[in-house]
Amino acid sequence: MSDLLDRLRGRGWRMTAQRRVVAEVLDGEHIHLTADEVLARATARLPEISRATVYNTLGELVSLGEVIEVATDGRAKRYDPNAHRPHQHLVCSGCGAIRDVHPGGDPLADLPASERFGFTVSGAEVTYRGLCPDCAGRPERTATAAPSAPAGP
């Protein structure tokens, strides 16, 4: 049984077949699925599940604080069930893949008092960006040299 299912049961969340399937789809390490990806995987397990049910369930899970909604660079929002373990995200600038990372240190402590402008800071979201191994290995990504000027007459 998944950690998410355990947490939801512990909260007394009414576990319908549709809700269970959505929670099962979100189970695992480094899960950051879009709503459409959740829908596709849920439909494969329970063909009669509707788009509205999946979207409503995701909204409920976010409202409950059991799933984090992750938005990066104007791409589709993704849903992260790792809501109760502090972590940051590593995002591929090429394909949009997301991984959970656990860097050392405290991002709140790294913000000096002079940069807080009187705010009482309660949280920090750090996103690391780069290219995943697949995108970094693509020829169009490795060619970084500027084009040369055309030869003169």
Side-chain angles (χ1 to χ4, degrees):
M1 183 173 7
S2 80
D3 183 46
L4 179 57
L5 281 171
D6 284 340
R7 293 191 324 250
L8 293 170
R9 280 197 177 103
R11 293 182 76 125
W13 197 53
R14 193 168 66 88
M15 193 63 66
T16 64
Q18 294 85 357
R19 287 175 163 188
R20 175 192 310 278
V21 165
V22 171
E24 287 172 350
V25 164
L26 290 171
D27 185 34
E29 297 262 332
H30 305 288
I31 299 295
H32 301 93
L33 301 173
T34 66
D36 286 340
E37 290 169 335
V38 173
L39 175 63
R41 292 180 185 194
T43 302
R45 293 176 182 214
L46 188 67
E48 64 272 15
I49 196 167
S50 71
R51 175 181 298 273
T53 297
V54 169
Y55 279 63
N56 289 339
T57 302
L58 289 170
E60 279 185 59
L61 293 172
V62 170
S63 293
L64 288 170
E66 295 296 341
V67 171
I68 300 168
E69 200 172 62
V70 179
T72 61
D73 302 333
R75 296 178 189 256
K77 292 177 185 168
R78 295 181 174 269
Y79 295 88
D80 180 356
N82 192 1
H84 295 278
R85 292 183 202 103
H87 67 284
Q88 307 304 331
H89 292 109
L90 177 62
V91 179
C92 178
S93 302
C95 66
I98 302 175
R99 301 288 293 192
D100 290 347
V101 293
H102 303 87
D106 178 4
L108 290 178
D110 292 341
L111 184 63
S114 62
E115 291 294 317
R116 294 179 186 223
F117 301 99
F119 281 61
T120 301
V121 181
S122 59
E125 294 177 20
V126 176
T127 302
Y128 299 92
R129 300 181 193 288
L131 292 175
C132 70
D134 289 341
C135 289
R138 292 188 185 135
E140 65 270 14
R141 294 280 183 195
T142 57
T144 59
S148 58

